[in-house]
Amino acid sequence: MSSLRGLFVVFSVCAFADSAYAAPACQSDWMFTATPIEGVVFGTNLFRAELAEGLSFTLQPDESGWHVEMRGQGGEVIPSRPVARGIPPVRGENNPTESFIFGPDVFEPAHNRELTVPGNPHNAATVEPSPGKQGQGWLAVTDQAFAEGEASRKVYMAFEGCVAWNDGPREPVTSHYPTPEDLANFPDWVVTAFEDCGLPETMLLSGRMPRPGSRQRAWLEPDLDGDGRHDLVALVDRPEGNQSGLVVCQQAQKTLTLVGFTSGTDSAPLSSDFLAEVDWWLIDGRTVVIGIEGAASQIVYLDQAGTLMSRWAVD
């Protein structure tokens, strides 16, 4: 029986694209990569799951059952610690749901109370987080059993959960912009998101859409492909040739599409001349409507083949 127990370790890592709808609480966004996890662990075995970007999640056996351990690409241990969720403990353990944080600057809260969850882009910690993988996760114990005896140990656990991380802190590359004021209308995460999506340095994000008295932002977050995740849309300028265009980054696969740099056609009228004059836009369902005040407007959308298209709006 013991040999069978030693071999009986079942685990799986859910591909994010296949789990987006089944686990809406574990979705990647522009700041965090998230991966659902689930598995079963027995006896004194360990559980290991390769996540992405060289990051791995493990459950290490200990005196009471198992504890979370995160490891980096080289196998190094990334410090982690549990975070109380206000759930009554079971036999002294914070079950059935456990939450944890991890990162190079995870300290004991009794000594470093000013440090919040590492990796959070809005981290207001006094201690500046060090570069490296950092983030947070949670486990929901779906089934478990304890050994008999006064000093009982958890000998079986089935679970599901999520691990989310980023590479903070990180600053976007802006050296190819003439002045820092060129990006005054964009938060760093938007600039970084387009950078990660592959926006070439020959294209500069244009922050001219916000106007005095309007609530318009310099970027939009529509769900163009209908996958439940916000995509990114912004105006861009290409100084060489003095052209204007539109850039779309689809969040699911970080797919970049540039349109508008050629003359418009009847089937796709979006053109550089039109985009140079636009002064308003809005999200309408799975489309972006963009136009010139008091003149024409166009609807930008993805067709059934996933190609970015445009057409004139009809009043």
Side-chain angles (χ1 to χ4, degrees):
M1 178 66 72
S2 61
S3 61
L4 289 176
R5 178 186 296 175
L7 293 173
F8 194 10
V9 179
V10 183
F11 67 88
S12 64
V13 179
C14 304
F16 172 73
D18 297 334
S19 310
Y21 300 105
C26 191
Q27 288 192 355
S28 298
D29 58 28
W30 294 110
M31 294 178 274
F32 281 95
T33 300
T35 299
I37 53 175
E38 63 178 354
V40 182
V41 64
F42 291 84
T44 57
N45 293 303
L46 65 83
F47 174 95
R48 180 183 178 88
E50 301 294 335
L51 301 179
E53 303 174 17
L55 197 65
S56 62
F57 165 90
T58 66
L59 290 174
Q60 297 285 342
D62 57 27
E63 293 182 358
S64 61
W66 295 271
H67 65 272
V68 171
E69 190 170 279
M70 300 295 301
R71 291 184 178 270
Q73 189 166 9
E76 73 281 4
V77 175
I78 302 175
S80 62
R81 67 173 174 84
V83 177
R85 295 174 58 93
I87 297 176
V90 176
R91 298 201 181 192
E93 298 297 312
N94 285 328
N95 293 315
T97 303
E98 297 179 351
S99 182
F100 59 94
I101 62 173
F102 62 93
D105 289 314
V106 171
F107 304 111
E108 289 299 324
H111 300 101
N112 296 275
R113 298 181 181 180
E114 71 278 11
L115 186 65
T116 59
V117 176
N120 189 329
H122 305 295
N123 192 343
T126 302
V127 179
E128 180 68 18
S130 298
K133 293 286 188 297
Q134 44 200 292
Q136 55 198 303
W138 56 265
L139 293 179
V141 179
T142 58
D143 195 12
Q144 59 186 332
F146 292 82
E148 296 181 358
E150 183 175 343
S152 62
R153 180 191 184 279
K154 194 184 303 183
V155 295
Y156 161 81
M157 185 174 72
F159 63 90
E160 59 185 23
C162 179
V163 180
W165 70 91
N166 66 15
D167 288 309
R170 179 183 168 198
E171 295 293 332
V173 177
T174 60
S175 57
H176 53 291
Y177 285 84
T179 67
E181 288 73 23
D182 293 329
L183 290 172
N185 289 326
F186 292 97
D188 285 352
W189 73 265
V190 172
V191 182
T192 300
F194 279 114
E195 178 185 324
D196 290 344
C197 211
L199 182 66
E201 292 190 356
T202 55
M203 305 287 181
L204 304 180
L205 292 172
S206 172
R208 61 184 171 83
M209 192 56 86
R211 297 175 299 158
S214 74
R215 296 184 178 180
Q216 290 185 156
R217 295 187 305 182
W219 77 99
L220 294 179
E221 298 179 65
D223 180 10
L224 293 173
D225 49 17
D227 66 352
R229 286 168 283 184
H230 291 161
D231 304 310
L232 281 181
V233 177
L235 293 176
V236 288
D237 295 322
R238 181 160 59 192
E240 183 179 352
N242 193 28
Q243 292 178 307
S244 297
L246 191 76
V247 60
V248 175
C249 181
Q250 291 172 248
Q251 186 178 156
Q253 302 297 329
K254 299 293 190 293
T255 303
L256 188 82
T257 305
L258 287 160
V259 293
F261 288 101
T262 57
S263 299
T265 64
D266 291 339
S267 60
L270 207 62
S271 67
S272 178
D273 291 341
F274 177 80
L275 291 172
E277 299 295 328
V278 295
D279 51 16
W280 66 269
W281 59 5
L282 56 84
I283 298 172
D284 185 11
R286 288 177 53 186
T287 71
V288 169
V289 184
I290 183 168
I292 303 171
E293 192 71 42
S297 61
Q298 294 189 39
I299 298 173
V300 182
Y301 62 97
L302 290 177
D303 65 11
Q304 291 185 346
T307 302
L308 197 67
M309 302 292 293
S310 66
R311 59 180 171 82
W312 292 107
V314 179
D315 294 333

